Amino acid sequence: MAKITQFKGYTGEDAPPPKIPKPEVSPDPMIVNVQDGVPVAYPGCHGLGVRIVHPVNPKAPAKNIGLVHFYLPPHTLLEPGSHETEETYVILEGEGTMTFANGKRKVSKGDFVYLPPWCVHGIENTGRETLLVLICTSPPNP
């Protein structure tokens, strides 16, 4: 059984000081959907991404995080590569195979794949339906 830890929040003796100053007036949230996003094509890939929360999206111009819906049709792949940002792939629909520096792993709906900086990674849709991946990047890719 997993040990449950207690949430400590962002205040208290152990909390570091905030890096972003707190504004005088609380900012309003931005609620967006995939139709509000900015499409992006990846070189050499027949999949398509939609930058939903990202600096290039004026409807949700995040500075420190990027959220992209990535659609990969059956029998297509995003070639392996690496970059300096941390990234997490959340498999929302479908199944596929991810390629890493030390081998391949199957992924499917419900999997979270944490990719540390410079981790070689690629993904191929090996299923029969579109593979839908939520890509979370911090800081956001250009």
Side-chain angles (χ1 to χ4, degrees):
M1 184 166 129
K3 180 182 176 189
I4 298 173
T5 59
Q6 183 65 40
F7 178 76
K8 294 183 181 180
Y10 297 101
T11 60
E13 295 176 18
D14 297 338
K19 295 178 183 174
I20 299 170
K22 187 173 182 178
E24 294 286 328
V25 178
S26 179
D28 285 332
M30 297 172 186
I31 299 174
V32 294
N33 58 45
V34 71
Q35 288 80 12
D36 295 323
V38 177
V40 60
Y42 297 91
C45 178
H46 293 288
L48 183 68
V50 180
R51 290 175 163 168
I52 301 168
V53 176
H54 195 277
V56 301
N57 185 356
K59 294 185 178 181
K63 293 182 177 88
N64 300 306
I65 191 169
L67 295 177
V68 175
H69 257 194
F70 181 50
Y71 300 87
L72 197 59
H75 311 293
T76 58
L77 69 120
L78 177 63
E79 291 285 343
S82 66
H83 43 76
E84 66 179 309
T85 58
E86 287 185 282
E87 197 165 53
T88 298
Y89 279 27
V90 181
I91 311 302
L92 299 176
E93 296 292 338
E95 58 187 39
T97 301
M98 290 197 70
T99 301
F100 304 106
N102 296 315
K104 296 184 177 201
R105 300 275 306 267
K106 292 194 176 293
V107 293
S108 60
K109 183 177 180 175
D111 288 343
F112 289 69
V113 182
Y114 169 67
L115 303 161
W118 299 113
C119 175
V120 173
H121 60 284
I123 189 165
E124 178 180 4
N125 184 341
T126 54
R128 295 181 177 195
E129 61 184 273
T130 297
L131 181 61
L132 175 57
V133 182
L134 177 63
I135 300 175
C136 308
T137 308
S138 180
N141 288 327

